[in-house]
Amino acid sequence: MKYEPTRSLGLEPLFSMKHYWQKSILAFGLAMQFSPLLIGQVRLSVEEAVNLALHKNPAIKASALAVRRNQQLLGAARNVPNPDLTFDSPTGVFYTIGIQQSFRFPTVYGRQYQQQQQQILLSQKEQVITANDLKYRTHTIYYAIQSAEAYQWQLLSQDSVYAQISQAAQRNFDAGIIDKLALLYAQTQAAEVKNQVRVAGLQVASQKKQLEILTGISLSTSLFTPLVKLTSPALDTSNIVQNPAVQVAQQWENVTQKAVEVERANAMPSFMVGYYNQGTQEASLGFRWRAGISLPLWAGQYKSRINAAQTEQQIARQNTEVQKQTVSSALQQAQDDLILSTNSLTFYETVALGQADAIISTARRFFENGQTDYTNFLRTTNDAYAIKLRYLEALQNYNQAVLAIHYLTGNL
């Protein structure tokens, strides 16, 4: 079919003053629709979402209770056995009351108290792990919502243009200006973009439901801050010592060290003191007392327990090294991802986005002037819009790499 100029294609309504005002009114209506002042929406920052999740999450409450439990057990660290109270007749003439109290070597109580203190620190560091994991999940979902909304808005801008193109193509086909193939191509492209908008909307809704579960509130009236590029952290693999999981592993070493000291103290003698009259009723008070010592003669059992505690300590040390290696590997991967995504973002920000905007504006100008047809316009602009969408994906990957580094270094 012979290529016709813009006038013969019947595109005047598309870019006429009438449609200019229609698009202006549409833009104003969209702005009014999404105005929080008019419909009562409240902006929810990522920090507010994290605070809500920390306040409502049952795992955080459970970890706090674990800390309290270990603090309560501190009073039981110096567990003196209950006294033995007796009432019998040693001479067969009269009944007498006796009382006996046994004690461990004082060092035992001191070592048990120190071990329980380390156990409290361990539960506190485990609480930090729980909080760090929850912060990471909340940040991840929040940033996913930001990315999905930005993706949706980009598709909406493309959908607005393609919908008008599809309508104009229908009018020109009805007028016999273009053939069926050009009409179908325009309609197919418009329908494809509209479907992508619908899918993006479902993704936004799905992520919001996930965030609602974590925060315990409805997000139907919440606005999220726009998607922005996060500040790049310093690339330093030595920061793994701040990782909560590594700190828990190191603290477990301290607990096992105290366990060794407790077992060594258990190998010390224990004592007994009591009051018991085994003589006559006239026996003086000084002869009614009794005292004794428990000698650890069976050294083999104590040595076995000490050796087992030392083996547990060695296991804890190896587990710390394993945890350090795991975190180091994950941190290195996150840093590599950050470098790759940074290079990709730099390309889009310095080259691709500007070219995409130039392609869209040039294609529109050519289209308005009748220098290109529907098919070429849609193909050209579709490539340019795809660049904008890939930029958003690169930005999401970059932010996720930054978030992973903060998570692994305990800086969320």
Side-chain angles (χ1 to χ4, degrees):
M1 185 174 185
K2 181 179 179 181
Y3 176 76
E4 298 287 344
T6 304
R7 181 176 180 83
S8 62
L9 286 174
L11 297 179
E12 297 87 354
L14 180 59
F15 300 103
S16 66
M17 184 60 66
K18 174 183 177 182
H19 278 75
Y20 169 80
W21 285 110
Q22 288 178 344
K23 288 185 288 181
S24 299
I25 294 173
L26 176 61
F28 178 75
L30 288 173
M32 296 291 285
Q33 179 183 356
F34 290 94
S35 172
L37 296 177
L38 292 181
I39 62 175
Q41 289 184 310
V42 179
R43 188 172 297 278
L44 179 70
S45 66
V46 63
E47 292 80 11
E48 292 170 335
V50 169
N51 290 335
L52 285 170
L54 292 175
H55 179 69
K56 297 291 185 66
N57 192 269
I60 296 296
K61 296 178 181 179
S63 61
L65 291 174
V67 174
R68 184 192 300 178
R69 177 198 60 197
N70 283 300
Q71 291 172 337
Q72 292 168 340
L73 288 173
L74 189 61
R78 298 187 176 97
N79 54 332
V80 179
N82 293 323
D84 296 327
L85 183 65
T86 61
F87 183 74
D88 61 3
S89 175
T91 62
V93 177
F94 64 94
Y95 282 94
T96 183
I97 295 177
I99 185 171
Q100 178 177 300
Q101 177 67 61
S102 60
F103 301 91
R104 307 296 300 277
F105 201 85
T107 304
V108 175
Y109 301 117
R111 294 293 184 265
Q112 288 180 161
Y113 190 85
Q114 293 172 0
Q115 184 185 22
Q116 188 58 34
Q117 286 180 318
Q118 295 301 319
Q119 194 70 39
I120 292 173
L121 291 176
L122 177 63
S123 60
Q124 290 174 338
K125 292 183 181 295
E126 289 174 341
Q127 185 180 22
V128 174
I129 283 186
T130 304
N132 195 50
D133 290 344
L134 182 58
K135 289 178 181 179
Y136 179 71
R137 289 174 58 198
T138 306
H139 276 87
T140 299
I141 295 175
Y142 189 95
Y143 292 148
I145 294 174
Q146 286 182 322
S147 299
E149 287 187 338
Y151 204 86
Q152 183 183 28
W153 279 106
Q154 181 60 56
L155 288 171
L156 282 171
S157 66
Q158 183 179 0
D159 177 63
S160 176
V161 174
Y162 279 31
Q164 296 179 58
I165 292 293
S166 177
Q167 294 171 4
Q170 182 65 58
R171 289 194 298 270
N172 285 306
F173 175 76
D174 293 340
I177 300 175
I178 62 173
D179 57 21
K180 185 67 173 181
L181 182 61
L183 172 64
L184 290 175
Y185 187 78
Q187 291 177 336
T188 301
Q189 292 296 308
E192 173 64 22
V193 173
K194 191 172 294 293
N195 180 64
Q196 292 178 7
V197 170
R198 188 180 302 108
V199 172
L202 293 175
Q203 291 176 339
V204 171
S206 175
Q207 295 295 338
K208 285 185 177 181
K209 289 179 181 178
Q210 292 295 319
L211 191 58
E212 285 179 346
I213 294 174
L214 291 182
T215 59
I217 64 172
S218 174
L219 301 177
S220 58
T221 60
S222 298
L223 286 177
F224 296 82
T225 56
L227 178 64
V228 295
K229 181 181 179 181
L230 299 179
T231 303
S232 178
L235 301 181
D236 184 5
T237 55
S238 64
N239 289 336
I240 63 170
V241 294
Q242 300 299 325
N243 179 271
V246 172
Q247 292 188 341
V248 165
Q250 292 173 333
Q251 181 58 30
W252 181 244
E253 287 188 56
N254 297 334
V255 172
T256 56
Q257 173 61 38
K258 292 301 177 182
V260 172
E261 295 176 5
V262 168
E263 294 301 334
R264 285 174 176 167
N266 284 332
M268 296 180 179
S270 58
F271 306 94
M272 176 273 294
V273 63
Y275 170 85
Y276 186 60
N277 182 16
Q278 297 187 23
T280 64
Q281 291 178 318
E282 291 77 17
S284 63
L285 183 63
F287 292 103
R288 299 185 181 188
W289 296 99
R290 64 188 305 185
I293 183 172
S294 175
L295 299 176
L297 296 179
W298 320 119
Q301 60 182 348
Y302 297 107
K303 185 176 181 180
S304 296
R305 294 183 65 87
I306 293 172
N307 290 338
Q310 289 175 334
T311 301
E312 182 68 24
Q313 185 181 21
Q314 294 173 0
I315 293 174
R317 288 173 180 169
Q318 294 303 315
N319 286 336
T320 299
E321 294 303 315
V322 170
Q323 193 65 52
K324 286 182 178 180
Q325 289 181 355
T326 301
V327 174
S328 294
S329 177
L331 182 58
Q332 185 62 57
Q333 183 62 56
Q335 291 175 341
D336 292 341
D337 292 341
L338 179 62
I339 294 174
L340 292 174
S341 56
T342 299
N343 291 335
S344 180
L345 271 185
T346 300
F347 164 72
Y348 282 109
E349 292 171 350
T350 59
V351 179
L353 286 180
Q355 291 180 340
D357 290 333
I359 289 173
I360 293 173
S361 61
T362 302
R364 166 160 285 192
R365 187 174 66 253
F366 282 9
F367 189 62
E368 291 174 348
N369 295 332
Q371 296 176 279
T372 188
D373 58 9
Y374 286 99
T375 302
N376 287 330
F377 174 80
L378 291 172
R379 286 176 177 170
T380 303
T381 56
N382 193 54
D383 292 340
Y385 283 120
I387 291 175
K388 291 178 174 289
L389 294 177
R390 287 196 295 271
Y391 163 72
L392 293 177
E393 294 175 357
L395 181 56
Q396 182 181 15
N397 293 336
Y398 168 87
N399 285 345
Q400 188 61 37
V402 171
L403 180 60
I405 292 175
H406 287 317
Y407 168 70
L408 293 170
T409 56
N411 292 320
L412 282 178

